[in-house]
């Protein structure tokens, strides 16, 4: 090889190495970490802390960054801790100045931080994601005033409830709690109870419903005997009565509830707040969790379609009766007045504030619909793929957080993770365009 060819090859290698350095320094997470207004988040999240003696709180940027990364990349708390130790970009995004070779926080710190913040303060992450989208020109402020609203179900991490499984599970939990507290039961029904459950499931599978009904009655009898036995043994002991109060109340509700009764029912013993919601889906007639309202922009902005508001709605309210709460919350979050709101026919007879009587348009509406609004109504279904992404990629498809506050927090964090993922994609696109313009013909792979 001639010396001239060697020098050209060396220059190309040097050019490639420097290009790799530029790409590393301009990683989307690095750019996003520099764009987010961490001071605003510190002001919002710092309201819950005080200067009392005790262990100092962890940095707000660290905990907020971990929450964003968790729901942006669909990671569990355990996997997030593993990735944080080995990924320098994660550490930089969370505010670390030097590479850390071990965790500077406990995994349980994530749970305590979520519970301490609550739904109202966690909504600041959505607010900041929209602010970053505006500053980076991923979306125009005017596009936030026209939104699409729909509701979906956020399923809870529970097994599919049946009467037989609930009865047997309630008996097992009562027996286990009695053993833990040293309460001697006359009989635990562990062997015959399990066998009765198996027989009930086999009879139902064989469509022998009379026999299955008899086994269901047997399971209900076993549970009733255990409840009465425990009540007799702990009577007069205030400590044991307090220890058994919650579980005994749930077990009595499970034993007494009927198939077609009206009102709230127990569908899970470890998550009694779960509700049965039917959305008319042929493949999934009933879902067990909480209803969630999701609002997105009508137009597809440069950076994609962003989520402007998310709120968990316990109690399974009628869709149309949620607008009185959703609209004021949305305006407070985005800092803008809603000029137009599109919804499906499930919002007929809505209770939106009086000023919004002519700003809410439903699918199939004819009166007061201009050609422009008619075109926008065709975009109403654009909220459906956003809901699909929230469930498939941002941990809304199965909620693992406890209690109603966990339902609310998971929905808000899923929306924030979705928006930040849109921003990471937008910043990657901007970086790719910048490098292509700076080095035309040299960049062969997208950023």
């Amino acid at each position: 090889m001639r010396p001239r060819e060697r020098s050209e090859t060396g220059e190309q290698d040097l050019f490639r190495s420097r290009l790799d350095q530029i790409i590393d320094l301009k990683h989307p997470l690095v750019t996003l970490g520099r764009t987010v207004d961490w001071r605003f988040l510190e002001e919002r999240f710092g309201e819950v802390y005080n200067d009392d003696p005790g262990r100092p709180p962890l940095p707000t940027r660290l905990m907020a960054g971990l929450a964003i990364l968790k729901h942006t990349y669909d990671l569990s708390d355990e996997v997030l801790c593993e990735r944080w130790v080995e990924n320098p970009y994660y550490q930089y995004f969370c505010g670390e100045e030097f590479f850390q070779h071990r965790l500077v926080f406990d995994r349980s710190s994530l749970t305590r931080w979520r519970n301490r913040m609550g739904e109202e303060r966690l909504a600041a992450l959505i607010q900041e994601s929209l602010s970053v989208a505006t500053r980076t020109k991923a979306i125009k402020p005017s596009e936030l005033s026209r939104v699409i609203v729909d509701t979906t179900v956020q399923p809870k991490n529970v097994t599919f409830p049946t009467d037989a499984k609930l009865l047997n599970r309630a008996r097992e939990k009562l027996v286990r709690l009695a053993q833990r507290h040293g309460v001697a039961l006359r009989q635990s029904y562990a062997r015959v109870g399990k066998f009765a459950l198996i027989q009930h499931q086999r009879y139902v599978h064989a469509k022998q419903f009379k026999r299955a009904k008899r086994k269901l009655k047997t399971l209900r009898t076993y549970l009733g005997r255990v409840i009465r036995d425990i009540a007799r043994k702990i009577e007069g002991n205030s400590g044991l009565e307090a220890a058994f109060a919650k579980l005994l109340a749930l077990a009595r509700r499970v034993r007494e509830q009927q198939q077609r009764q009206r009102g709230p029912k127990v569908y899970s013993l470890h998550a009694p707040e779960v509700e049965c919601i039917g959305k008319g889906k042929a493949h999934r007639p009933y879902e067990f969790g909480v209803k969630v309202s999701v609002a997105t922009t009508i137009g597809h902005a440069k950076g994609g379609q962003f989520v402007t508001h998310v709120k968990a709605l316990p109690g399974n309210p009628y869709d149309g009766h949620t607008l009185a709460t959703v609209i004021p919350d949305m305006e407070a979050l985005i800092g803008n007045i809603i000029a137009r709101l599109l919804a499906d026919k499930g919002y007929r007879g809505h209770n939106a504030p009086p000023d919004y009587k002519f700003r809410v348009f439903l699918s199939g509406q004819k009166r007061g619909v201009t050609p422009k609004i008619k075109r926008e109504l065709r975009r109403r279904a654009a909220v459906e793929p956003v809901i699909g992404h929230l469930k498939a990629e941002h941990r809304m498809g199965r909620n693992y957080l406890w209690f109603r506050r966990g339902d609310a927090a998971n929905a808000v964090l899923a929306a924030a993770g979705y928006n930040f993922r849109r921003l990471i994609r937008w910043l990657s696109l901007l970086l790719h365009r910048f490098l292509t313009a700076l080095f035309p013909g040299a960049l062969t792979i997208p950023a």
Side-chain angles (χ1 to χ4, degrees), residues 39-51:
R39 185 174 300 176
F40 165 74
L41 295 179
E42 288 177 359
E43 292 176 357
R44 291 297 303 273
F45 296 148
E47 297 172 354
V48 300
Y49 298 110
N50 50 39
D51 296 330

Side-chain angles (χ1 to χ4, degrees), residues 21 24 30 49 100 117 131 137 145 227 274 311 328 364 371 410 442:
Q21 292 176 1
D24 288 339
V30 175
Y49 298 110
Q100 301 290 342
M117 292 302 114
S131 178
K137 298 183 180 181
S145 62
I227 290 174
V274 167
K311 187 175 182 62
N410 190 73

Side-chain angles (χ1 to χ4, degrees), residues 87 93 197 225 243 283 355:
N87 195 321
F93 182 75
L197 175 63
R225 289 177 182 175
H283 65 287
D355 296 342

Side-chain angles (χ1 to χ4, degrees), residues 382-426:
V383 70
E384 303 297 343
V386 174
I387 293 174
H389 285 296
L390 286 172
K391 290 188 173 184
E393 301 166 6
H394 302 283
R395 304 187 71 79
M396 193 185 281
R398 183 174 288 270
N399 178 25
Y400 295 90
L401 306 185
W402 285 62
F403 310 118
R404 291 195 187 278
R405 65 173 180 266
D407 296 336
N410 190 73
V412 172
L413 290 171
Y418 172 86
N419 284 350
F420 279 107
R421 189 158 186 163
R422 293 287 89 208
L423 288 172
I424 290 173
R425 177 61 182 166
W426 170 247

Side-chain angles (χ1 to χ4, degrees), residues 287-361:
E287 296 177 270
F288 300 92
V290 66
K291 182 176 285 190
V292 175
S293 173
V294 180
T296 66
T297 54
I298 293 178
H300 191 279
K302 292 182 179 179
Q305 196 165 2
F306 288 86
V307 175
T308 60
H309 182 262
V310 161
K311 187 175 182 62
L313 304 167
N316 191 15
Y318 171 63
D319 289 358
H321 294 166
T322 63
L323 293 183
T325 304
V326 168
I327 290 177
D329 287 355
M330 195 187 314
E331 290 186 342
L333 185 66
I334 66 177
N336 202 347
I337 297 176
I338 302 300
R340 188 168 300 149
L341 188 146
L342 307 183
D344 58 14
K345 294 182 179 179
Y347 284 80
R348 286 177 294 189
H350 59 79
N351 63 346
D355 296 342
Y356 296 86
K357 182 177 180 181
F358 299 105
R359 301 185 196 177
V360 179
F361 295 90

